[in-house]
Amino acid sequence: MRKKITLITGVVGEVGQALVKNLVERGNANLVTLDIRPAPVEIAHLSTHIQGNILDKSLLARLVSEYEIATIYHLAALLSTRGEFTPVEAHQVNVEGTMGLLQMAAEQSEWRKEPVLFIFPSSIAAYGMPNLKAKVDFPRVREWEWNYPITMYGCNKLYCELLGIYFSQYYRQLAAEQPIMLDFRCVRFPGLISAFTVPSGGTSDYGPEMLHAAAQGEPYACFVREDAIIPFMAMPDAVTALVNLAQAPKSKLRRCVYNVTSFSLTAAQIRELVVEAFPKAQITFKPDVKRQRIVDSWPADLNDDDARRDWDWLPAFDVKRSFKEYLTPNIVRRYQG
Ligand code: SER
């Protein structure tokens, strides 16, 4: 019999590293992880790691022949800044990669006669505010509002949300018999800040970069204006959101795609918090017009009422607790200890 497992793609990314640790702490032993990169030492012992490409069809075929995949956390993606430099590659990884996994999960759901649980992180990048006035006038966007992304990554995320809904509700809808469909659940994350890892290739990266540079005593030139505002969340809450959504009773979920957020800050406010933690921080502002435009297109805040109502979403780390209890002490330990 095939071993029943949870598959995590893109595990070497920031969310993946935090998620795999969290799942192991919760006693989840049967984890298989997949990434184009080798697993770093911090997480290598926590799972059966496969180094490979999600676009490799024979690799996916090998996975299903060896394992019964009950749950998939599909995290592999090229982020928003990186995607603008390599849009075709971003589309391949973000869309074709997701499509391949959804297809595999759909087939496995039929085969097992039980839905495969498919957890997908989407992003504020799925939104596109047309101008700063709209961003001010409509600060807390609902899931169905302003879905006009301006980045390849945002377009990819929004489309993959729709593909997930398609595969979980309408797949083979004209067939004589309705197949068992996969169970697709998705959160739209704000910018994420981790104490243990630094993001790469994103456009919300100025937040974490400011903090990590200050902790290392390095100067940092922030690539957006002081008044640039988007929502953020500390990494432990991001992981909690994924796991709690995965564990929520299906009957309670009235949507497939949920906003989640914790606090919204301007770049100047982030700087203040960083200077409070690291008084010697040397942070200047040197806006890059193009990356600024992307951040300006993201909403100032997210309305996450539906997640709170349906699966009791509540961030444990508000801005104060994020900095005082999670970010600052762990970053100090990381770089100074
Ligand atoms: N952090 C992501 C990015 O900046 C947004 O989801 O691309």
Side-chain angles (χ1 to χ4, degrees):
M1 218 172 82
R2 299 177 308 163
K3 191 165 137 195
K4 200 167 173 168
I5 59 127
T6 293
L7 174 68
I8 306 174
T9 71
V11 73
V12 182
E14 286 204 281
V15 179
Q17 294 200 38
L19 175 69
V20 77
K21 286 181 195 156
N22 183 291
L23 290 177
V24 169
E25 271 163 28
R26 286 169 190 258
N28 201 327
N30 298 326
L31 302 178
V32 173
T33 55
L34 175 60
D35 202 292
I36 197 102
R37 299 162 285 186
V41 280
E42 292 88 345
I43 59 162
H45 57 292
L46 302 178
S47 67
T48 301
H49 184 71
I50 298 165
Q51 189 179 347
N53 192 331
I54 51 165
L55 295 168
D56 178 351
K57 290 270 178 311
S58 64
L59 173 61
L60 297 189
R62 211 149 32 88
L63 271 177
V64 294
S65 70
E66 201 167 329
Y67 301 109
E68 179 188 340
I69 302 170
T71 303
I72 301 175
Y73 288 89
H74 173 40
L75 313 179
L78 296 190
L79 297 186
S80 58
T81 290
R82 169 76 198 277
E84 291 315 295
F85 288 104
T86 55
V88 174
E89 192 192 347
H91 188 276
Q92 270 163 356
V93 173
N94 298 350
V95 174
E96 289 167 38
T98 303
M99 176 70 187
L101 282 160
L102 282 168
Q103 230 173 330
M104 176 188 91
E107 283 161 16
Q108 288 301 300
S109 299
E110 286 195 75
W111 200 86
R112 298 169 74 219
K113 306 210 179 333
E114 203 182 327
V116 171
L117 181 58
F118 197 104
I119 305 294
F120 184 64
S122 183
S123 159
I124 38 167
Y127 293 102
M129 310 306 292
N131 50 52
L132 283 176
K133 182 173 182 317
K135 182 161 169 161
V136 171
D137 291 347
F138 301 94
R140 280 186 86 226
V141 297
R142 301 297 312 246
E143 284 85 350
W144 57 87
E145 295 173 330
W146 304 103
N147 294 147
Y148 311 113
I150 70 162
T151 60
M152 176 54 90
Y153 171 74
C155 294
N156 296 163
K157 285 291 185 189
L158 188 60
Y159 175 56
C160 287
E161 292 176 5
L162 294 174
L163 280 180
I165 294 170
Y166 170 79
F167 273 102
S168 64
Q169 293 178 10
Y170 308 109
Y171 179 55
R172 305 229 320 245
Q173 57 189 311
L174 299 184
E177 237 179 89
Q178 277 258 283
I180 306 270
M181 281 176 264
L182 57 87
D183 181 352
F184 177 80
R185 306 178 183 194
C186 167
V187 284
R188 282 201 193 134
F189 279 135
L192 302 178
I193 314 184
S194 167
F196 302 102
T197 49
V198 197
S200 74
T203 318
S204 60
D205 294 7
Y206 61 90
E209 280 174 1
M210 240 189 250
L211 184 60
H212 283 262
Q216 294 171 86
E218 288 170 3
Y220 183 72
C222 178
F223 60 78
V224 294
R225 292 186 318 264
E226 289 176 61
D227 68 322
I229 181 165
I230 56 166
F232 284 97
M233 185 188 283
M235 190 57 81
D237 274 334
V239 170
T240 304
L242 292 174
V243 175
N244 286 2
L245 179 59
Q247 288 176 349
K250 177 84 180 149
S251 58
K252 292 224 164 175
L253 303 181
R254 279 176 269 184
R255 339 177 35 80
C256 287
V257 177
Y258 288 94
N259 282 344
V260 287
T261 191
S262 184
F263 48 85
S264 286
L265 294 172
T266 62
Q269 286 169 323
I270 302 178
R271 181 183 179 275
E272 269 167 43
L273 289 159
V274 171
V275 170
E276 208 177 293
F278 302 98
K280 290 193 192 139
Q282 307 158 57
I283 299 163
T284 51
F285 288 87
K286 199 172 167 234
D288 169 331
V289 182
K290 293 172 184 158
R291 290 179 98 184
Q292 175 73 59
R293 179 158 171 246
I294 294 175
V295 170
D296 285 343
S297 79
W298 293 348
D301 198 356
L302 296 171
N303 181 324
D304 59 4
D305 289 354
D306 281 6
R308 289 170 189 251
R309 179 197 64 197
D310 288 0
W311 44 282
D312 301 322
W313 158 248
L314 193 65
F317 293 86
D318 61 9
V319 64
K320 200 161 153 218
R321 191 161 175 233
S322 292
F323 276 81
K324 290 236 154 36
E325 291 181 34
Y326 167 66
L327 292 170
T328 310
N330 284 311
I331 289 184
V332 166
R333 261 197 296 278
R334 176 176 166 175
Y335 294 114
Q336 293 164 18

